[in-house]
């Protein structure tokens, strides 16, 4: 059992203290720490080859462009897209989802149309659609879930109507840790001739993504949640969709020809990449991906699953503990590359007795334990659960059982204070 990857030395920040206590970082669902190789690569690029990409004839610009375009190829391989023309660099998942909501709505949505989302979406997969719905007069239909935090596929099938134009769903819930059966949901949507957007913010960091196997039409994720820098993310889109969508923003880099009478646009992905991209960050993201693949996505998944299973067991034994989301974890399968649907991934949300989640988070912080508290940008889900917020612990490849034991001891200590 490979339950210990032992890569903590790659992340110097993990050896710092907070309030005199060794840091236990369990807020990886919000953002992960960065390995030295990523920080070094970005510093090296700023020090030695910094120049704006795409436009320059000079040597440094060409070097920087090459690193940027190599990063696109690294991302393509990472998610097994057919072509680099299907890889759009964004600022993160939020921008990717806004891009699809805005461009798809411009091209295809009108009064009376319907967009299907789920009750467990992050605000970034609700609000962009609502903003467009206000302009175009379409409406959102919402897939409900069971009390265990599992999407109701029977209800999902019933939501389709002749007005359904697109489905936008999260792969893994950032609150419940539920791995949604997106492949099955995509198959059902395609039977209705409807494309699917997958929010991969909480899946891409944890297990192998194969966009061709999933057959999703769009897939958005963030670099900073998978050991890469902030400010960079990816929107994958099938070529036939990206070709048909209008640009999201206008500016330099995305045009073919501009006159005051008429502008023609570049082909994808450049059509969706107005302005100077964060080319240092795209390089950093590529190094982060190489770091993950050098360890092995299967090993990362195995390790995090082992840790999630252990944490669910240990946390469940605490009196007064309520854990939200499914209690089953999955056994990683290197052959299918898909965790079993409706199992629990590396995010655990909970409340303990009547202790307010903010009190729990604040007191754990004093013990050096960094967890997240609140609604986790998923207020409709909080309403469904009937809570104002939860405490959330989320794992990355560098966490270990000692972190879980420290969390459990910390919770028990806080409990004694109440
Ligand atoms: N979707 C999910 C499921 C998330 O967990 C997050 C980040 N909390 C986002 C979208 C938004 O990601 P970002 O802030 O990196 O754009």
């Amino acid at each position: 059992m490979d339950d210990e990857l032992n890569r903590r030395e790659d992340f110097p920040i993990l050896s710092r203290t907070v309030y005199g206590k060794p840091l236990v970082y369990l807020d990886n669902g919000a953002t992960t720490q960065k390995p030295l190789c990523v920080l070094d690569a970005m510093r090296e690029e700023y020090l030695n080859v910094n120049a704006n990409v795409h436009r320059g004839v000079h040597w440094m610009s060409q070097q920087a462009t090459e690193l940027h375009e190599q990063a696109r190829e690294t991302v393509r391989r990472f998610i097994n897209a057919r072509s680099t023309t299907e890889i759009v660099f964004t600022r993160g998942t939020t921008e990717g989802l806004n891009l699809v909501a805005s461009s798809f709505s411009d091209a295809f949505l009108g009064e009376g149309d319907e967009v299907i989302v789920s009750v467990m979406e992050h605000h970034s997969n609700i609000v962009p659609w609502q903003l467009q719905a206000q302009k175009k007069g379409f409406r959102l239909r919402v897939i409900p879930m069971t009390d265990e935090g599992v999407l109701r596929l029977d209800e999902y099938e019933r939501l389709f109507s002749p007005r359904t134009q697109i489905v936008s769903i999260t792969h893994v819930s950032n609150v419940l840790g539920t791995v949604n059966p997106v492949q099955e949901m995509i198959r059902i949507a395609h039977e209705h001739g409807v494309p699917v957007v997958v929010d991969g913010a909480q899946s891409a960091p944890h297990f192998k993504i194969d966009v061709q196997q999933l057959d999703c039409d769009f897939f958005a994720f963030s670099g900073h949640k998978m050991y890469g820098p902030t400010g960079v993310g990816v929107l994958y889109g099938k070529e036939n969709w990206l070709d048909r969508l209008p640009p999201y923003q206008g500016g330099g880099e995305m045009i073919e020809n501009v006159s005051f009478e008429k502008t023609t646009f570049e082909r994808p992905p450049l059509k969706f990449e107005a302005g100077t991209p964060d080319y240092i960050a795209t390089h950093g993201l590529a190094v982060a991906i190489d770091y993950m693949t050098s360890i092995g996505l299967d090993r990362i998944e195995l390790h995090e699953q082992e840790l999630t299973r252990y944490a669910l067991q240990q946390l469940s034994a605490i009196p007064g503990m309520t854990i939200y989301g499914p209690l089953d974890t999955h056994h990683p399968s290197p052959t299918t590359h898909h965790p079993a649907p409706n199992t629990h991934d590396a995010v655990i949300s909970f409340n303990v007795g009547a202790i307010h989640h903010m009190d729990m988070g604040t007191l754990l912080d004093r013990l050096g334990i960094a967890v997240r508290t609140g609604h986790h940008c998923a207020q409709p889900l909080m309403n469904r659960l009937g809570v104002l917020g939860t405490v959330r612990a989320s794992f990355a490849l560098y966490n270990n059982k000692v972190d879980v034991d420290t969390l459990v001891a910390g919770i028990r200590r806080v409990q004694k204070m109440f």
Side-chain angles (χ1 to χ4, degrees), residues 29-30 92-95 97 122 124 170 172-174 199 201-202 222 224-225 392:
T93 309
T94 303
E95 190 177 47
L97 295 172
H122 188 278
S124 63
T170 192
V172 173
S173 161
N174 67 311
D199 171 353
Q202 298 293 343
S222 300
H224 70 99
K225 293 183 196 286
R392 183 184 78 178

Side-chain angles (χ1 to χ4, degrees), residues 5 35 37 41 62 69 103 134 136 185 204 281 293 309 348 399:
L5 287 179
C37 58
Q62 288 180 12
E69 291 305 324
S103 293
Q134 282 162 13
K136 292 294 201 84
M185 295 172 81
T293 47
R309 198 170 302 127
I348 303 179
N399 289 118

Side-chain angles (χ1 to χ4, degrees), residues 5 97 135 144 146 172 182 225 335 373:
L5 287 179
L97 295 172
K135 289 191 222 162
T146 65
V172 173
V182 287
K225 293 183 196 286
T335 46
T373 60

